[in-house]
Amino acid sequence: MQPDGERGAEQHERLLGIEELRVRFPGAGRAAVDGVSLAVRRGECLGVVGESGAGKSLTFLAALGLLPKGAEVSGRVRLGPQEVLGLTERALDRIRGRRVGVIFQDPMSSLTPHLTIGAQLAEPIARHIGLGRRAARARAQGLLERVQLPEAARSMRQYPHELSGGMRQRAMIAIALACEPELLIADEPTTALDVTLQAQILALLAQFKREQRMGLILITHDFGAVAGLADRLVVMRAGQVIESGPVAAVLRHPGEPYTRELLRAAGEPPAEQPPRAACAVAAAPVLSVEGLEVRFRYAAGLLRRRSLPALEAVTVSLGAGESLGVVGESGCGKTTLTRAALRLIRAERGQVLWLGQNPARLSARRIRGLRRDLQLIFQDPLGSLDPHLSVEQLVSEPLEIHQSGLGPAQRRERVHAMLARVGLEPALYARRVHELSGGQCQRVGIARAMILAPRLLVCDEPLSALDVRAQRQIRLLLTELSAEQRVSLLFVSHDLALVRHLCERALVLYLGRMVELGPTDELFARPLHPYTRELIEAIALPDPDLQPARLAKVRLGEARRLEQPGGCAFRLRCAHATAVCAERIPPWVSAGEGRWVACHHFGDWADGMLSP
Amino acid sequence: MLGYALRRIAGIVPVLLILLTVSFFVIRLAPGGPFAAGRALPARTRAQLERLYGLNRPLLVQYAHYLRALAHGNLGPSYSMRDETVAGLIASGLPVSAALGLAALALAVLTGVPLGARAALRRDGPLDRSLAAFAALTLALPSFVTGPLLALVFGLWLRWLPVAGWQPDTPRDLILPAVTLALPLSASIARLMRASLLEVLGASYIRAARARGLGRARVLWRHALPPALVPVVSYLGPAATYLVTGSLVVETVFELPGTGRYLVQGALDRDYTLVMGMVLVYGTLTLLANLAADLLHAWLDPRVRHEPL
Amino acid sequence: MVLAAALIAVLALLALIGPATSPYSYSTLDWAHLSIPPGLTAEHWLGTDALGRDLYVRTVYGLRLSLIIGVLATAVSVLIGVAWGMLAGWVGGRLDAWMMRVVDVLYALPYLFIVLILAALFGRGNLVVLLLAIGAVGWLTLARVVRAQTLSLKRREFIEAARAAGLSGPQVLWRHVLPNLAGSIAVYATLMVPQMIVYESFLSFLGLGVEPPQASLGSLINAGARQMLTAPWLLLVPASVLIVLLLSFNILGDGLRDVLDATRR
């Protein structure tokens, strides 16, 4: 149901009012929160958006008295008629958990590791509502059912590490809602989760907001989440509110240049992209992978070893100058595919060809020589650069290895030219990576990869660790460089929108198997596999007209893991699954014009499908 | 949990056996023997003694004999102290050593944990600062320095406590030795406790627990303390090792009739059976302490329990 | 920390040239001055022991021995520990499991106790055996630390990046693993020196270390403790030198660790 009636309604009473809030840490020059004023009404969702370090979370931690000792806080914070700032710890404890619930970003580190979910859930119920042990536990289990946790009774006895990421976040939500608070503060509740889970969690929050008529504060950097859930929006930068208003107004007509920049970075329409030069696919493919299987071994007891398939029967090839996107949720084998394709991990079965040659038949020395043409850019820009080397040394290293004939002066020249090309100033060349920002580190990583003018660039989620604006800059840099040097691109990402911008073709993986492959535009316009469709539907569009309705359609249930192997791996999550899906693994079949799919039923349902 | 415990206990036996085997042969590799020349024994007496104790037979036979006797709980006679059996010597010395070790351990835990926790809660307060200085000092002081110094100050100059010696049933005699032994241990535990509690208090789940309005005391006792105790518990293994070696010194300094002196003296006298007995006792003790530490750890942290060994 | 480093330097210098600044040698017996207390104007400004040997010279001499043994034993430990830990961590798998099992077992044993037995059996007064025995037990902790860090380095992406860039195994170890381990190795080595000194003193204290008339700080303290009733300076002088030495090393090591932690962040 579209909650239009509640949007922007002015007559609701004010729940939380923050005025002129300032937070300053001793020793810090600038105030971390600098005169923030905002208000939330009952039944309303306020979106708080901004880049990391903007003071979004600090504002609300300060309001609840949760900042570390020594922080100086001033201003006014009112919950209903009551002034909250300056209350004693005891008085605050009657508000926290009772009247205001909080959901934190990372559900793993925010749940106490040595207590069961049930114990942690019953704790605030017993304290704030005064129920006895059994009554509290009964209510706790009811809450777990309401957040759609499968097997609630069993989850009660489990420890946080035994649950999956999505289940943990559901448990966190249950704890925050345990005492039916008037206000729920959700601090980046979906950032650590996969696309499909993000959509489910947001849909769940939307449902609770509707049913309990509580106030909801959604702190996020994701405009898509805001568009789907928020009624009003506040944009923060450097500790200040720079823009606020009804969500539709701000998203459609942003007043501040900064907001416009953020919005552009979040949801650039594909038309703005410089189109990749379409190349005739000729000659041998740069990279081809055939029947690749990778298994992960683990100890299942003192002597027993078991293995799980991380990748099964993957066959794909990439022509010169072509770009291929690989998408899927975490654990689907995306990263494993890149590592196995570059022979950084061992494959159980199948073969890999580099520029038409089989490295399995080459000497170690020849393999190292070939690596020159196959470069890799990592997800974590900081972690992928050796901390004890300077920027210049880092970029110079590939040249030292592969072009040892170069003199120091020539090498220096090449390194400096490359660093200038990726937009790093000479002042940074002598720095170590921990002195650089995330975006700068990723530029170093790109320079390191591109200095050898490789034929293939493998990018493993190169943007996901970066801030929104840095994401856009690095994305543009990658597009330019790959067009300039006519390098083939294997681009791994959980972000479908990104792959849609960057890649000509896309491969969808689910639990280590290929489920769909095709030209990106067609794949988006007419997905053939139900999983692809689910992924596309889960994309949060920063569009306040479309997104709430899309969110309302998301199915809330947590998918259970496949316990019995065999058949289609996706069948437990699939609305179209039939008996045959449990019996046979769907074959990989051609579906015309370069499209491939592995689904028993794709012909049946894909015809009647609606475009998202 | 029970299965985990049983598996770990079973793991001790082979380690102990290896230890005993290695010790058995290493001791015999050393030059000289229990009745070797230079001990003023006529050659004939020596030969008789060696025949009596089976020392003239091949090493492997001796080893087999030793193991068979051990299986029946017989640790053999002492070679250097005639008329004494190793088991008898241990039975007379061990209570003293055990009383000393346990008293020191209790003292160290009961002072170290609260001090460290308090210092963490009042970070950079006066207690925290003085604890840091105290810890740095005591950790730099080996017990063979603190022991004599304490005896000098409290025994000789202030005359509050006995300088050395031991009479049965006089706990006063144990105070100085136990304090000497406990001091560095207490400092280590306090430091560990402080660091780990600070780390836990900074964790997201503590902030999350506070955000649920559970109250300071409950957050501290239920959410913060158990994980903060994990490093302290893990330290029990090294602590036991320290206590074993430290007690050797302390027993020497304060002239306590514990088992410590048998080890050094036994090795010097080439009293094979006595040294083996000591290896068995102290080896078992440290292995058991390490085991207890691991089990406590598993009890405090559910993640350990689920890991395969 | 600077103060600690300076103190170590002063003590090392003293150990180096100290014995030469006095007319007496560590074994000179001065029958005219038996058991005299310290006095600044006296011929023996730190006093003498019951045999009339000059306490200043004997302490400085003991300091020299303690330092030499501490540093050399640390070197032995570092060599074994780094090699063992790096090999186990880098190769991984069964070899790692086996190598670490060995460390675990040795760790669970009262190692000093084993050194004690070894020293009593073979090494009474034999400095080389003493050194090897002490050095051979100190490497366990370092091997664990180095292994853990090698393992975590191995999982870090920059190592994978180096391999993807075409570096060979030894090249990766030499260019990327070892330099990143260097900091922690330095810290642990600094903290290990005082430990080794304590081990040596401990053995000497139990009469298993150096033989008289040679002196180490441990044997001096042992001798002093026996006569503390009549001549407390014999205990206090070597004990304070030992305390200052150990404290300096500990403070220096802790300080280095803080610096290292700070740069890691």
Side-chain angles (χ1 to χ4, degrees), chain A residues 144-412:
Chain A
L144 287 183
E145 277 154 15
R146 279 191 65 196
V147 296
Q148 314 268 340
L149 204 66
E151 303 178 83
R154 193 168 142 227
S155 304
M156 286 286 286
R157 293 188 307 270
Q158 282 180 313
Y159 293 95
H161 71 274
E162 298 174 277
L163 302 183
S164 71
M167 287 159 82
R168 276 183 219 132
Q169 194 57 293
R170 283 169 207 270
M172 274 286 282
I173 293 176
I175 294 175
L177 294 174
C179 303
E180 296 182 344
E182 303 152 47
L183 177 66
L184 182 66
I185 300 174
D187 186 357
E188 304 263 9
T190 58
T191 306
L193 303 176
D194 268 318
V195 200
T196 43
L197 282 173
Q198 280 184 11
Q200 291 176 11
I201 295 294
L202 288 175
L204 198 63
L205 287 176
Q207 182 195 328
F208 278 110
K209 178 196 133 193
R210 213 159 46 228
E211 287 172 0
Q212 298 197 342
R213 289 193 35 77
M214 60 181 183
L216 174 61
I217 293 171
L218 179 67
I219 303 172
T220 180
H221 63 267
D222 178 1
F223 279 99
V226 171
L229 204 51
D231 304 296
R232 286 191 314 117
L233 177 60
V234 162
V235 182
M236 284 185 71
R237 182 186 196 181
Q240 292 176 325
V241 172
I242 58 161
E243 183 161 7
S244 67
V247 81
V250 177
L251 290 185
R252 231 167 275 137
H253 311 288
E256 291 291 316
Y258 178 73
T259 314
R260 274 202 291 272
E261 202 184 330
L262 283 183
L263 263 170
R264 199 167 58 227
E268 203 155 23
E272 266 187 43
Q273 283 286 321
R276 279 185 59 84
C279 312
V281 179
V286 173
L287 174 76
S288 85
V289 162
E290 236 181 273
L292 203 62
E293 177 176 328
V294 177
R295 303 184 79 86
F296 281 138
R297 285 155 212 291
Y298 62 98
L302 202 51
L303 296 169
R304 271 173 302 155
R305 300 219 180 267
R306 291 215 183 122
S307 66
L308 269 179
L311 217 52
E312 279 181 288
V314 173
T315 301
V316 71
S317 78
L318 183 59
E322 203 197 353
S323 60
L324 173 71
V326 181
V327 295
E329 56 203 21
S330 59
C332 75
K334 311 189 289 283
T335 297
T336 310
L337 174 58
T338 65
R339 300 304 192 267
L342 293 180
R343 290 178 57 91
L344 292 171
I345 55 174
R346 218 170 64 88
E348 232 69 27
R349 217 168 284 156
Q351 73 171 8
V352 174
L353 293 181
W354 291 348
L355 310 167
Q357 304 189 59
N358 186 348
R361 302 221 186 92
L362 300 175
S363 68
R365 176 176 288 271
R366 287 271 293 135
I367 290 179
R368 286 203 291 276
L370 273 181
R371 287 200 186 280
R372 181 185 164 172
D373 282 323
L374 313 157
Q375 292 292 318
L376 178 60
I377 295 177
F378 291 85
Q379 172 171 14
D380 174 8
L382 189 65
S384 56
L385 299 170
D386 190 333
H388 88 281
L389 295 178
S390 70
V391 167
E392 191 169 345
Q393 287 171 322
L394 280 165
V395 179
S396 168
E397 188 180 65
L399 286 181
E400 290 163 31
I401 304 288
H402 292 289
Q403 296 191 321
S404 44
L406 284 181
Q410 289 169 295
R411 203 156 53 213
R412 231 176 125 82

Side-chain angles (χ1 to χ4, degrees), chain A residues 93 109 112 114 123 127-128, chain B residues 205 212-214 218 222-223:
Chain A
D93 279 337
S109 59
T112 305
H114 68 273
E123 217 175 6
R127 179 173 177 98
H128 294 301
Chain B
Y205 60 86
R212 288 170 219 155
L214 299 177
R218 192 171 177 91
R222 203 168 141 90
H223 291 258

Side-chain angles (χ1 to χ4, degrees), chain A residues 471-484:
Chain A
Q471 278 190 9
R472 175 163 187 270
Q473 292 158 359
I474 297 292
R475 190 176 79 210
L476 292 178
L477 179 66
L478 273 176
T479 324
E480 285 170 28
L481 277 175
S482 58
E484 258 173 53

Side-chain angles (χ1 to χ4, degrees), chain B residues 13-48:
Chain B
V13 178
V15 175
L16 210 54
L17 204 65
I18 293 172
L19 177 66
L20 281 176
T21 309
V22 172
S23 312
F24 185 90
F25 292 106
V26 166
I27 296 171
R28 273 152 233 259
L29 274 179
F35 314 108
R39 305 222 174 181
L41 275 177
R44 255 188 47 212
T45 326
R46 205 177 89 209
Q48 266 177 356

